[in-house]
Amino acid sequence: MRSRYLSPWFPVIVVALAQCGFGVTGTLRLLATHPSPVSIVVCLLSFAAVLLLQLVHCAEPARRFRARHGRWTLLLQAFFTFAPVVLFGAAWGGMGGFVAGSTLLIVDAPLSWILFALYPVVAGALAMARGFPVLDISCLTVGTAMTGLMIYGLLCLAELLSEAHRNQGESAHLAVTRERLRFSRDLHDLLGYSLASITLKSELVHRMVEDNEQARKELGEVLDISRQALSDVRTVAYSYRELSLCDEVAAVRRVLAAADVDADIEAEEGRWGCQTETALATVLREGVTNLLRHAEPSRCRIRLWEEGDHVRLTLSNDGVRDNGPRMVVGGRGLDNLAERMARLGGALTAEVDEHGWFHLIAGCPLAAPQRTVTTSPPPRQSALRQADFAR
């Protein structure tokens, strides 16, 4: 049964509530010492800054900002966390665990664990410098470390839930698209064949009937209806099969990132015709599906570029279980893709090289002369690629 707590925002809310609890407790301890109004204002502003920076470190919408500026925001959080400790004593000491947990999330190991170990030491040293009892120093040191580990666990849970929700959306999109393709194939293969047979038979009978003008007229109407029905079925089938190559590249980029595959993707933008884009998008989708299903990849290279009057697509990945150079033959999926490319005047080949890399290579002529391409240097072709497209 699905729980309402499986939202990516649930761990973030828990972290924010825990931080608010620490902030309220520290503020009450500070008020018990009868501070000046300036001290209270500084304390509240520091708490607001720490809370805001903590949300930046754990909220999903700030993921890109965190990846680019995370270390600077981490320094700010550390400053606003320990500055009040210097000013107000141990009243604010429990907040060090939050910046410790954020450090484990943002900084790469092993530096993150070294910095994490420094936070309890710094908190204990500040308490010792202010002359607090040994018991308070010990509690503050251990509490900072334990709080940091718990915060780190909650932040990891938030990232896992966000990734699961992204994967769920991608899986739903792929499932709908596959169902559309299956429906279009069935519609075209079943009804298309039947209607084509009816049209052929009607044409034959129409030629055989010579004397009965009324029969020729009725057969002519049947022939027109069957031709129109066949055209309508093909129109519907092909419209369901239309895919956007640009959208497919973006979807593949997200799927590979979710699968923890280091993807190197270089794709030129262009308008190469609906049939060409649909065929190449299908090759790209099936190729990525196969590499995730039948291999254990850690790296993947995808290249899409225009070369003369052809458009080329190559997909390469490591992690092939059975190494050794060989041509990949057979397989219904590859055969279907090769047949699709052949209908467009192109070709598709697949091979595993001596380094254990699988290469799926597809190319077909440009469908439309009018196009806009964002130029970039085409990747260097290997001898395999040149041999495949020289034919």
Side-chain angles (χ1 to χ4, degrees):
M1 184 176 66
R2 186 178 179 181
S3 173
R4 58 175 177 167
Y5 297 118
L6 296 181
S7 168
W9 285 100
F10 173 69
V12 179
I13 294 174
V14 172
V15 171
L17 291 176
Q19 195 164 20
C20 289
F22 275 87
V24 170
T25 302
T27 303
L28 292 177
R29 290 178 178 176
L30 178 65
L31 293 175
T33 61
H34 305 288
S36 64
V38 175
S39 301
I40 298 176
V41 171
V42 172
C43 177
L44 294 177
L45 290 178
S46 299
F47 170 71
V50 170
L51 180 61
L52 177 61
L53 292 169
Q54 187 65 56
L55 291 177
V56 170
H57 292 159
C58 60
E60 172 63 19
R63 181 166 56 94
R64 292 184 178 179
F65 179 84
R66 182 169 62 245
R68 181 175 300 180
H69 308 290
R71 298 199 173 188
W72 295 105
T73 56
L74 190 64
L75 288 175
L76 287 176
Q77 184 179 2
F79 171 78
F80 286 112
T81 297
F82 290 106
V85 176
V86 176
L87 296 175
F88 311 130
W92 201 258
M95 297 292 287
F98 292 92
V99 66
S102 298
T103 301
L104 292 178
L105 185 67
I106 295 174
V107 182
D108 296 331
L111 179 60
S112 59
W113 289 102
I114 297 175
L115 295 177
F116 175 83
L118 290 178
Y119 288 114
V121 174
V122 171
L126 290 175
M128 185 182 300
R130 298 185 66 87
F132 288 99
V134 177
L135 181 60
D136 291 344
I137 296 174
S138 302
C139 290
L140 182 61
T141 303
V142 175
T144 299
M146 294 299 100
T147 302
L149 291 176
M150 289 186 290
I151 295 302
Y152 176 60
L154 287 172
L155 297 183
C156 290
L157 177 61
E159 284 205 342
L160 290 175
L161 289 176
S162 299
E163 183 177 350
H165 278 249
R166 289 195 300 270
N167 293 341
Q168 185 178 12
E170 291 297 328
S171 299
H173 171 73
L174 291 177
V176 171
T177 305
R178 286 180 178 177
E179 184 63 20
R180 287 166 62 93
L181 291 173
R182 185 198 64 80
F183 173 76
S184 69
R185 286 194 299 266
D186 293 345
L187 181 66
H188 183 270
D189 295 341
L190 299 177
L191 289 182
Y193 175 79
S194 300
L195 290 174
S197 299
I198 292 173
T199 302
L200 181 62
K201 295 294 185 181
S202 299
E203 291 176 347
L204 179 61
V205 175
H206 189 268
R207 290 194 298 267
M208 294 174 61
V209 176
E210 297 179 356
D211 299 332
N212 194 329
E213 186 64 28
Q214 183 64 28
R216 289 178 59 86
K217 180 180 178 181
E218 295 297 333
L219 283 174
E221 292 181 359
V222 172
L223 184 58
D224 292 339
I225 294 173
S226 64
R227 286 171 176 169
Q228 183 62 43
L230 179 60
S231 176
D232 293 341
V233 167
R234 286 175 175 171
T235 299
V236 172
Y238 285 128
S239 67
Y240 268 82
R241 293 181 182 181
E242 291 179 3
L243 297 175
S244 170
L245 188 54
C246 181
D247 293 342
E248 199 62 35
V249 170
V252 163
R253 193 187 302 272
R254 293 192 296 269
V255 168
L256 292 177
D260 199 21
V261 177
D262 184 11
D264 180 12
I265 301 177
E266 294 183 7
E268 293 185 4
E269 298 179 359
R271 293 181 297 175
W272 297 305
C274 178
Q275 291 185 350
T276 300
E277 286 206 19
T278 298
L280 292 176
T282 304
V283 171
L284 179 59
R285 172 181 300 175
E286 293 299 327
V288 172
T289 301
N290 287 338
L291 78 89
L292 293 177
R293 181 182 300 171
H294 301 299
E296 298 175 356
S298 60
R299 291 179 295 168
C300 175
R301 292 195 302 266
I302 297 174
R303 300 291 185 267
L304 174 66
W305 78 101
E306 181 183 337
E307 184 180 75
D309 59 348
H310 281 66
V311 57
R312 312 295 193 190
L313 172 66
T314 64
L315 189 153
S316 306
N317 65 274
D318 63 353
V320 179
R321 296 187 179 92
D322 185 13
N323 293 341
R326 64 187 185 278
M327 290 299 298
V328 180
V329 296
R332 184 176 179 182
L334 290 179
D335 290 342
N336 290 339
L337 295 177
E339 182 181 354
R340 177 188 288 268
M341 299 303 299
R343 286 199 297 266
L344 297 178
L348 180 138
T349 59
E351 187 182 54
V352 178
D353 63 19
E354 65 275 9
H355 302 293
W357 276 71
F358 176 80
H359 303 281
L360 183 65
I361 309 159
C364 63
L366 296 173
Q370 181 181 2
R371 58 191 180 274
T372 56
V373 180
T374 303
T375 58
S376 62
R380 291 180 296 178
Q381 296 184 0
S382 63
L384 168 65
R385 295 173 182 171
Q386 294 174 353
D388 287 330
F389 293 123
R391 295 178 295 179

